[in-house]
Structure formats: C-alpha cells, structure tokens
C-alpha cells in the first residue's frame, strides 16, 4: 500500500495527467522534470564543497559535478549516474540527492552528465559512463584520495547503465568496490506483475517508459542484448557486490527483485532492500517528505561498509 505521504501527490497527478509522450517535445519534458525536482529539493546539512568538472575523453567530453564533504574519509569515490528514462535528467535534477548522499556517507560523489536520447541513442550514454569510469579510475586522485575505491551508484535508467558498465568492466583493474542500484529499469519488455499493478497512476507511467526505451534504442532492436536488458545476462560472475533498492509501489519492483536473485545465482554478494509504501522516484522527494528522507539516510547507512574502508 502506498504511503500516505504520497497520496495527495498521486491524486493530483491522476487528476491532471501528463499528455502522451508522443505529443510532447523532449525539451518540454526535460524542463518539467527539472521543475519537479526543484519543488522537492531540500537543504544539505553540514559543509559540502561542490564544483563542476569536465572529464576529457578521446573525441568528446563528459560533464560532471564533484561533491566533497568536509568529513570525507577518503576511502571511496562514488560515481553517480542519474535517472530519467534515458531521455531526461541532468546534474541539476539530482543535485540535492547526490549532495545529501555525500553528506550522509562521508564519501566524495562524482555525478555524471552523460548523453541522452533521442539525440544520442544507444549505446552513446552507456559509452559515456563506461569511458568516464575508466578515466576516473586511472585519475581518481583528481577527484578524491588516490587510494579511494570506486563505488558505482545510479537510479532508474542510471542504475541500468551502472550495472551494465559494472558487468562489462569485470576483469579490469578498476578496484570496483560495489554497485548500488536504486529502483533500476532492466529492460524494455516490462511484463512483470508489478508493471500490471503499478504501471499507471503511480508516478512512473509504463506507456511512457516503453516510448522512451524506443527513443533510447533508436534503430537497435535486439532486446536480448544484456547491455539493453541486464536481466537476460547469462553470466554475472565476478560482478561487484551489490545493493539493490526497490520501492514497494513501483512498476519496476519485480525487475529489481529478479536482478538481485540473478546476482545471487552467480554468487555475487547482494543486499536487497525494499522501501515499503514508496513509489518510483521517492529518493528525489526526500527534500520535503520526511518518510522518503529517512530511507535516503538508511541507504547511506547500508553503503557504510563500502565507503568506510571497514
């Protein structure tokens, strides 16, 4: 059952539904996403140094934002990949959330501003994340302690990119300590029970997500490719330990649970956390909804063993 904190929000959303994605420009959707994020952002307690950086790769650049808490213990650098259905989101939409996580964990966070579809279809965004991670791994002293281990973290579409990148880079000497996946989307098929139960009227509209997947994939049509559908991976052995967070009232809940089980099948240490009563995107609402903020802070506690050096 959805938490009472979201009832009024969902009632208002159902009374004034967004127009079909086919009838809205991506510029308009991105602006609406930024405005929604701004309404729910909160303050970050404590001292936090924030600066924008540019990661220079061969033939292109990736923007990023570095968050360094005053009490940074230097054990880990968390690379954060934002959500937004592969077509929305940027450094601003997730600014409060990443800053709060940096404060709570005491680790430096580097948020990536990867390329979005439909202007840059698959695998452009994934390539940005993979290439940026390799660069950061070999230049980590520019962002945190040279000895810091890397933790990869993302939400929704960003969690998809994180887990694909973590799987692709197995065997590379990157010192990947963990992957943290927040309500991940793990393929375009979207046929689970939670999709049927929560696919409309609970913030994340599945029709819209299917449409966005088509924009993300462009002319690429192989849904069985594990880079598109990580749930179809036939070997995850050697992937970094994982924390998988699912929201009870999220169409993507069952996918996250299934992926945690797949990791466990391949003997990857995994911790599955379910946020009771929460909806997709609840982390970004923690700025004004105490119940969601408490879970944001709890996720940071579960990350402790990966970012504290213990």
């Amino acid at each position: 059952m959805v938490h009472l904190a979201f009832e009024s929000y969902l009632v208002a959303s159902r009374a004034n539904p967004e127009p079909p994605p086919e009838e809205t420009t991506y510029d308009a959707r991105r602006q609406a996403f930024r405005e929604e994020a701004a309404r729910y952002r909160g303050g970050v307690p404590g001292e936090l140094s924030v600066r924008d950086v540019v990661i220079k790769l061969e033939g292109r650049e990736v923007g990023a934002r570095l968050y360094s808490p005053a009490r940074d213990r230097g054990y880990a650098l968390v690379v954060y990949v934002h959500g937004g259905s592969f077509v929305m989101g940027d450094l601003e939409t997730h600014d409060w959330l990443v800053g709060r996580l940096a404060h709570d964990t005491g680790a430096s966070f580097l948020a990536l501003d990867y390329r979005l579809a439909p202007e840059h279809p698959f695998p452009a965004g994934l390539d940005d994340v993979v290439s940026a991670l390799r660069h950061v791994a070999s230049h980590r002293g520019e962002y945190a302690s040279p000895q810091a281990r890397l933790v990869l973290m993302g939400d929704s579409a960003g969690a998809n990119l994180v887990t694909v990148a973590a799987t692709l880079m197995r065997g590379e000497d990157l010192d990947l300590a963990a992957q943290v996946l927040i309500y991940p989307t793990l393929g375009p098929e979207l046929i689970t029970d939670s999709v049927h139960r929560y696919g409309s009227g609970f913030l994340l509209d599945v029709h819209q997500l299917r449409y966005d997947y088509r924009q993300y994939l462009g002319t690429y049509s192989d849904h069985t490719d594990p880079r598109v559908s990580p749930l179809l991976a036939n070997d995850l052995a050697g992937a970094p330990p994982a924390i998988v967070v699912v929201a009870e009232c999220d169409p993507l809940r069952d996918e996250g649970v299934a992926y945690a089980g797949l990791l466990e099948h391949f003997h990857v240490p995994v911790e599955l956390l379910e946020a009771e009563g929460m909806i997709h995107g609840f982390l970004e609402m923690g700025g004004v909804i105490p119940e969601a903020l408490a879970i944001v802070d709890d996720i940071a506690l579960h990350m402790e063993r990966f970012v504290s050096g213990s």
Side-chain angles (χ1 to χ4, degrees):
M1 180 179 295
V2 69
H3 198 286
L4 288 174
F6 296 102
E7 283 288 359
S8 59
Y9 173 83
L10 292 176
V11 168
S13 298
R14 292 162 185 164
N16 299 282
E18 295 182 5
E22 301 91 333
E23 300 177 8
T24 310
T25 67
Y26 276 100
D27 283 344
R29 287 185 62 195
R30 289 165 184 164
Q31 182 58 33
F33 193 54
R34 293 187 195 101
E35 292 172 358
E36 183 85 350
R39 280 197 294 271
Y40 285 96
R41 67 176 294 137
V44 177
E47 295 182 17
L48 192 69
S49 172
V50 181
R51 63 183 175 94
D52 289 345
V53 298
V54 175
I55 300 173
K56 295 184 177 181
L57 306 173
E58 186 174 346
R60 67 186 189 282
E61 297 179 342
V62 174
R65 183 168 292 170
L66 180 64
Y67 301 77
S68 303
R71 63 183 185 94
D72 186 353
R73 292 168 288 184
Y75 296 118
L77 171 64
V78 182
V79 178
Y80 195 95
V81 186
H82 68 76
S85 296
F86 304 103
V87 299
M88 300 178 292
D90 52 35
L91 298 179
E92 295 301 326
T93 58
H94 287 65
D95 180 68
W96 169 83
L97 173 60
V98 179
R100 179 74 189 207
L101 288 166
H103 168 268
D104 283 3
T105 61
S108 289
F109 271 65
L110 184 69
L112 300 181
D113 197 18
Y114 58 91
R115 288 175 290 178
L116 299 175
E119 297 91 339
H120 305 284
F122 176 86
L126 176 62
D127 287 345
D128 283 353
V129 173
V130 170
S131 298
L133 288 172
R134 287 186 175 129
H135 175 88
V136 170
S138 59
H139 298 80
R140 69 189 72 196
E142 298 177 13
Y143 310 101
S145 166
Q147 289 76 41
R149 297 172 302 161
L150 289 183
V151 173
L152 313 184
M153 184 175 189
D155 69 277
S156 197
N160 175 296
L161 299 176
V162 161
T163 198
V164 173
T167 302
L168 288 174
M169 293 188 290
R170 288 174 297 173
E172 299 184 26
D173 187 20
L174 303 181
D175 194 21
L176 298 180
Q179 53 181 320
V180 183
L181 313 176
I182 310 295
Y183 32 73
T185 179
L186 296 162
E189 295 304 316
L190 300 166
I191 56 174
T192 65
D193 181 66
S194 61
V195 165
H196 293 294
R197 180 173 300 189
Y198 301 114
S200 178
F202 290 86
L203 183 64
L204 178 63
D205 183 87
V206 171
H207 169 71
Q208 192 169 69
L209 181 57
R210 287 194 175 105
Y211 178 82
D212 290 339
Y213 258 110
R214 292 197 293 272
Q215 311 314 304
Y216 171 57
L217 295 176
T219 60
Y220 194 76
S221 60
D222 184 5
H223 291 189
T224 68
D225 186 337
R227 297 176 302 162
V228 174
S229 300
L231 269 174
L232 300 180
N234 58 16
D235 182 11
L236 294 175
I243 296 174
V244 180
V245 180
V246 297
E248 179 187 3
C249 303
D250 181 355
L252 303 181
R253 176 193 177 276
D254 290 350
E255 292 184 15
V257 173
Y259 194 71
L262 188 63
L263 287 166
E264 190 173 53
H265 173 76
F266 287 104
H267 307 290
V268 177
V270 58
E271 184 175 10
L272 176 65
L273 308 176
E274 179 170 352
E276 295 184 2
M278 296 293 113
I279 61 175
H280 191 84
F282 75 86
L283 263 74
E284 292 96 311
M285 301 180 185
V288 296
I289 298 178
E291 294 85 351
L293 177 60
I295 298 176
V296 173
D297 296 344
D298 186 59
I299 291 169
L301 287 175
H302 282 274
M303 293 173 63
E304 176 72 16
R305 67 185 184 278
F306 299 123
V307 301
S308 67
S310 59

